[in-house]
Amino acid sequence: MYTGKRVILGSQSPRRKQLLEQAGIPFEVKVVDTAETFPADMHIPDIPVHIARQKAIAVAPLCKVDDIIITADTVVVLDDTIIGKPRDREDAIRILSALSGREHRVITGVIILRDGQEEAFSKETAVHFKPLTTAQITYYVDNFKPYDKAGAYAIQEWIGAVGIDRIDGCFYNVMGLPVSNVVEKL
């Protein structure tokens, strides 16, 4: 149970909200639309931290000086290529077809701003999908509409239960926030 300073979550993600609630951390949400851009030559593991930092910098002017600000960004990486959010139904089907029967990495970068200091870290989880049929993929896309999710899926939804046969790392990291690490840092 967290009883420290006021916590501000700089994210609209319902999954991140849910995870902080599950951890017993009272928080408020403050969000500023931020371009999720990064230098072309940046190493992939540094990208989610960079984007989380941009979000924290954008939210900071809306907060009190003694607030704790938490921001995060999650990327899905297949074959050293970042797989973003799908543009539409066909793109979601294409992405899940590429992930089918393969292992990919999910990297979440986190920024915690407190007392004028930044604490930055990232967490990586390897996720392996079983081979998925076209029917399974289209069922998931048509019924769960994963258009707001990196990699076109949410591990806690149907596709995770039937399609993911193993992970190496933090389950909650794949949901979008390595919450045990955040609690530890707080």
Side-chain angles (χ1 to χ4, degrees), residues 116-159:
Q117 301 294 313
E118 174 190 281
E119 186 160 7
F121 66 93
S122 66
K123 191 81 171 173
E124 182 173 317
T125 302
V127 179
H128 187 272
F129 267 104
K130 297 188 299 190
L132 301 169
T133 66
T134 301
Q136 287 174 315
I137 291 170
T138 56
Y139 171 83
Y140 176 69
V141 170
D142 290 345
N143 288 281
F144 291 86
K145 307 199 182 321
Y147 307 123
D148 65 336
K149 296 167 180 67
Y153 77 94
I155 194 170
Q156 71 277 13
E157 292 177 341
W158 180 85
I159 195 88

Side-chain angles (χ1 to χ4, degrees), residues 39 57 94 112 114 121 144 163:
I57 291 168
R94 180 193 61 78
I112 300 175
R114 152 181 44 210
F121 66 93
F144 291 86

Side-chain angles (χ1 to χ4, degrees), residues 56 68 102:
I68 297 173
R102 312 239 352 248

Side-chain angles (χ1 to χ4, degrees), residues 49-144:
V49 170
H50 176 80
I51 294 171
R53 182 176 292 117
Q54 290 176 311
K55 293 175 182 179
I57 291 168
V59 168
L62 304 177
C63 302
K64 297 177 182 172
V65 72
D66 60 342
D67 287 344
I68 297 173
I69 301 168
I70 300 171
T71 58
D73 188 70
T74 301
V75 296
V76 172
V77 182
L78 179 66
D79 297 332
D80 294 322
T81 300
I82 292 177
I83 306 297
K85 297 173 184 173
R87 293 180 301 277
D88 53 27
R89 180 181 185 271
E90 291 71 31
D91 196 33
I93 290 170
R94 180 193 61 78
I95 290 169
L96 288 170
S97 297
L99 296 176
S100 174
R102 312 239 352 248
E103 182 174 284
H104 62 276
R105 300 178 296 148
V106 177
I107 307 168
T108 300
V110 179
I111 297 291
I112 300 175
L113 293 179
R114 152 181 44 210
D115 300 324
Q117 301 294 313
E118 174 190 281
E119 186 160 7
F121 66 93
S122 66
K123 191 81 171 173
E124 182 173 317
T125 302
V127 179
H128 187 272
F129 267 104
K130 297 188 299 190
L132 301 169
T133 66
T134 301
Q136 287 174 315
I137 291 170
T138 56
Y139 171 83
Y140 176 69
V141 170
D142 290 345
N143 288 281
F144 291 86

